[in-house]
């Protein structure tokens, strides 16, 4: 943009008008509201959280710097390591299931179906409804005495006793993973469906003419073209699953005997319920390396996409 | 996505049948490979909602008596649970709080995001690319690692147990999302329109309000709906920053106030979950396309 000063008669224009024509100043002004909110309530707390991890701050009492003591304590804390194990297990199993089932559902919805738009709309419902409220429904479904699942299985003669869904460590793990997968499938399926719809049908026709079977069409046409979007969707999915809090908090609160504690729920329990803000913050900070790994993965996913489109836009 | 749709439509016109290559599949085969799995998926994904709804209208004596009453049906539907919820608990207040907080947080975030996205995408000030990347990174910072330091801040600012605590913290995940989404929409508006307006003497402000925003209305709706849903569903901040019953939001209120002792009142709990889900479901049903496009758009860009 040409400088306004070179044109005669515009010298004495007001400061406002000049700001209006300078990209830097105008850009700064436009960015201001978002920047203030994000710097104040996102960047600053991120730093504050890391700082709190090095202090012994408690609710109602300012902390002092204690170096790595919180982390040293956590290193010897078997509950913390159990929560790390649980988080990794929860994320891995749930993500793999979400991916497999989500991709399957996406492929089904991509078929030529009657009422396709309707199916797509209702399939997304689990993802739209507040997690806590659907988790409460799962709580009732997993009830120790009156579980509908147990009732049906007993009625069919498959089991004799009601299943103790949330009382037994391994059952509880499987149950919360199932609830998480239930909620996550629609997100994976609908985003992958959007990716599927951009694949031109002519490629499948060409592959069929070359004698490809349905598996080969999937393996050599669908999958490679879908890879970039899969990378991004799964990064998001992993990120959301890894930092999950609501589902566990509603269903088990980390029990039985910490078998379902995730790092986020442990951080809440120690930091807020227990009042030990410093230690809670340290647990939250311990999640960051994992998240960074996921973000780097996403970044390379994006890179690859740009490369496949033939250079940046 | 629209392009892809047009493409498939064209394809089907050309080949002269609706199914593309589906003539290769016989009906029984499709029944087993497509319709049956799809039916199972739909059943599993929707069953919890059915269960929620049927429990909400079941009288207590039917609720736990599986011997005499089929659990899948209700013989004498009752509105007692809903009545109890609406008149004997603070539920209406929670609903109202959630509406206020979600609307204000959404409007605030949307306004800030429009300016930010326009600046990043169109003003192209120095460092715009880096700021755009920063916004994307901010989107990836989860509330689970922010709630403890935010709780400390909220307490020190004197906002603890007020609606402002949530109204000011929700934009931390709404602004990155909305900005990222709107950047995509603004990118699709041709530069030429803005150049014409600049030549005609329009200021940047006029360009934004008269040209860019009207063209980006679908994007604004998408971002707004999605942001509203996200705020409505938010849990961890609302759980941490709000103490008193009258300031709670629906998800927190239902979980912390309706569950009192070991005797769970499943009927009213399910009614609470159902009614708390309805606003977002209704909103979603009106704007399915916008919702889907914002979800896929955020991932695709």
């Amino acid at each position: 943009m040409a400088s306004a000063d070179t044109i005669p008669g515009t010298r004495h224009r007001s400061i406002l008008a000049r700001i209006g024509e300078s990209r830097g100043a105008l850009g700064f002004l436009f960015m201001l509201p978002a920047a203030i909110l994000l710097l104040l309530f996102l960047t600053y707390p991120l730093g504050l959280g890391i700082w709190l991890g090095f202090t012994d701050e408690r609710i109602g009492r300012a902390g002092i710097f204690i170096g790595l003591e919180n982390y040293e304590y956590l290193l010897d804390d078997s509950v913390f390591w159990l929560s790390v194990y649980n988080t990794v297990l929860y994320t891995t199993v749930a993500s793999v299931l979400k991916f497999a089932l989500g991709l399957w559902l996406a492929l089904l919805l991509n078929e030529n179906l009657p009422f396709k738009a309707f199916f797509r709309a209702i399939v997304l419902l689990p993802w739209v409804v507040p997690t806590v409220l659907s988790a409460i429904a799962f709580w009732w479904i997993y009830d120790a005495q009156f579980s509908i699942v147990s009732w049906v299985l007993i009625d069919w003669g498959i089991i004799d006793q009601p299943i103790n869904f949330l009382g037994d460590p391994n059952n509880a793990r499987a149950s919360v993973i199932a609830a998480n997968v239930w909620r996550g499938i629609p997100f994976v399926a609908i985003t992958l469906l959007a990716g599927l719809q951009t694949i031109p049908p002519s490629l499948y026709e060409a592959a069929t003419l070359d004698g490809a079977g349905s598996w080969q069409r999937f393996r050599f046409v669908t999958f490679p073209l879908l890879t970039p979007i899969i990378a991004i969707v799964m990064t998001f999915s992993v990120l959301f699953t890894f930092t999950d809090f609501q589902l566990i908090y509603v269903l088990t609160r980390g029990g039985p005997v910490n078998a379902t504690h995730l790092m986020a729920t442990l951080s809440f329990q120690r930091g807020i319920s227990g009042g030990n803000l410093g230690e809670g913050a340290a647990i939250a900070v311990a999640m960051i390396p994992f998240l960074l790994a996921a973000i780097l993965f996403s970044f390379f996913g994006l890179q690859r996409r740009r490369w496949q489109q033939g250079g940046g836009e | 996505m629209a392009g892809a749709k047009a493409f498939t439509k064209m394809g089907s016109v050309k080949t002269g049948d609706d199914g593309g290559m589906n003539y290769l599949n016989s009906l029984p085969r499709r029944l087993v490979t497509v319709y049956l799995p799809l039916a199972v998926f739909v059943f599993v994904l929707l069953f919890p909602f059915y269960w929620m709804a049927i429990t909400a209208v079941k009288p207590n004596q039917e609720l736990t008596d599986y011997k005499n009453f089929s659990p899948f049906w209700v013989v004498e539907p009752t509105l007692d649970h809903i009545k109890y919820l609406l008149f004997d608990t603070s539920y209406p207040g929670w609903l109202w709080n959630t509406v206020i907080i979600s609307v204000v947080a959404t409007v605030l975030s949307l306004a800030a995001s429009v300016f930010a996205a326009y600046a990043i995408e169109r003003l192209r000030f120095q460092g715009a690319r880096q700021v755009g990347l920063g916004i994307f990174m901010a989107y990836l910072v989860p509330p689970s690692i922010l709630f403890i330091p935010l709780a400390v801040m909220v307490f020190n600012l004197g906002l603890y147990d007020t609606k402002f605590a949530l109204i000011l913290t929700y934009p931390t995940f709404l602004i990155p999302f909305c900005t990222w989404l709107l950047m995509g929409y603004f990118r699709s508006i041709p530069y030429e329109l803005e150049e014409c307006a600049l030549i005609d003497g329009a200021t940047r402000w006029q360009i934004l309000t008269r040209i860019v925003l009207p063209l980006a209305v679908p994007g604004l709706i998408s971002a707004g709906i999605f942001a509203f849903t996200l705020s409505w569903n938010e849990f961890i901040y609302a759980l941490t920053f709000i103490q008193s019953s009258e300031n709670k939001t629906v998800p927190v209120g239902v979980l912390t106030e309706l569950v009192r002792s070991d005797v769970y009142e499943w009927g009213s709990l399910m009614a609470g979950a159902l009614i708390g889900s309805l606003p977002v479901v209704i909103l979603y049903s009106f704007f399915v396309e916008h919702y889907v496009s914002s979800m896929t758009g955020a991932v695709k860009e």
Side-chain angles (χ1 to χ4, degrees), chain B residues 101-282:
Chain B
I101 292 167
S102 304
V103 168
V104 177
T106 302
V107 170
L108 190 69
S109 311
L110 213 52
S113 302
V114 163
F115 288 122
Y118 184 76
I120 294 169
E121 199 52 50
R122 280 300 153 86
L123 291 177
R124 290 249 152 244
F125 57 91
Q126 200 133 49
R129 259 186 71 90
Q130 284 73 19
V131 172
L133 195 69
I135 292 278
F136 181 67
M137 288 301 176
Y139 182 42
L140 299 177
V141 176
S144 312
I145 64 172
L146 288 180
F147 72 95
I148 288 181
L150 273 176
V152 172
M153 281 180 67
V154 159
F155 202 81
N156 289 339
L157 290 173
L159 296 174
Y160 185 71
D161 204 13
T162 64
K163 293 189 186 69
F164 283 106
L166 302 183
I167 289 172
L168 288 174
T169 48
Y170 284 2
T172 56
F173 54 87
L174 298 182
I175 289 179
F177 173 79
C178 292
T179 307
W180 193 249
L181 193 73
L182 288 172
M183 278 165 65
Y185 274 94
F186 289 166
R187 208 176 300 144
S188 68
I189 297 170
Y191 259 121
E192 288 76 8
L193 285 176
E194 283 185 53
E195 284 166 357
C196 290
L198 273 175
I199 290 169
D200 289 347
T203 63
R204 280 288 178 183
W205 175 258
Q206 286 171 321
I207 293 176
L208 181 63
T209 52
R210 302 237 179 120
I211 296 175
V212 174
L213 284 186
L215 286 171
V217 164
L220 290 174
I221 296 178
S222 294
I225 300 285
F226 211 86
F228 180 84
T229 318
L230 283 180
S231 334
W232 189 278
N233 298 359
E234 207 287 327
F235 180 66
I236 190 165
Y237 290 164
L239 179 71
T240 314
F241 306 156
I242 301 293
Q243 172 94 60
S244 55
S245 177
E246 70 263 23
N247 284 331
K248 282 181 176 165
T249 60
V250 170
V252 178
V254 169
L255 189 68
T256 56
E257 306 266 326
L258 293 185
V259 183
R260 271 177 311 217
S261 57
D262 279 347
V263 184
Y264 302 124
E265 291 167 42
W266 288 113
S268 50
L269 259 180
M270 290 300 116
L274 193 70
I275 297 173
S277 309
L278 275 183
V280 276
V281 170
I282 291 169

Side-chain angles (χ1 to χ4, degrees), chain A residues 96-218:
Chain A
V96 167
L97 285 175
K98 272 188 269 195
F99 170 65
L101 294 170
L103 181 60
W104 189 13
L105 182 57
L107 290 170
L108 291 175
L109 288 173
N110 199 35
E111 294 280 333
N112 213 317
L113 297 167
F115 311 115
K116 195 168 171 172
F118 173 73
F119 274 120
R120 199 185 60 178
I122 58 167
V123 153
L124 199 54
L125 269 181
W127 209 73
V128 177
V129 166
T131 314
V132 171
L133 302 183
S134 58
I136 290 176
F138 268 94
W139 196 18
W140 173 221
I141 289 174
Y142 289 150
D143 188 84
Q145 257 184 302
F146 302 109
S147 164
I148 184 68
V149 179
S150 296
W151 185 83
V152 169
L153 292 178
I154 290 173
D155 197 47
W156 288 352
I158 297 175
I159 53 170
D160 311 319
Q161 298 269 320
I163 302 172
N164 189 6
F165 282 104
L166 299 175
D168 170 80
N170 283 327
N171 281 354
R173 284 185 183 132
S175 305
V176 290
I177 288 174
N180 180 278
V181 169
W182 175 83
R183 186 183 140 78
I185 285 177
F187 171 73
V188 177
I190 298 299
T191 39
L192 289 186
L193 178 64
L196 281 175
Q197 284 169 342
T198 61
I199 300 175
S202 55
L203 290 180
Y204 292 109
E205 283 158 20
T208 313
L209 286 179
D210 288 345
S214 60
W215 166 251
Q216 285 169 315
R217 280 202 300 271
F218 172 77

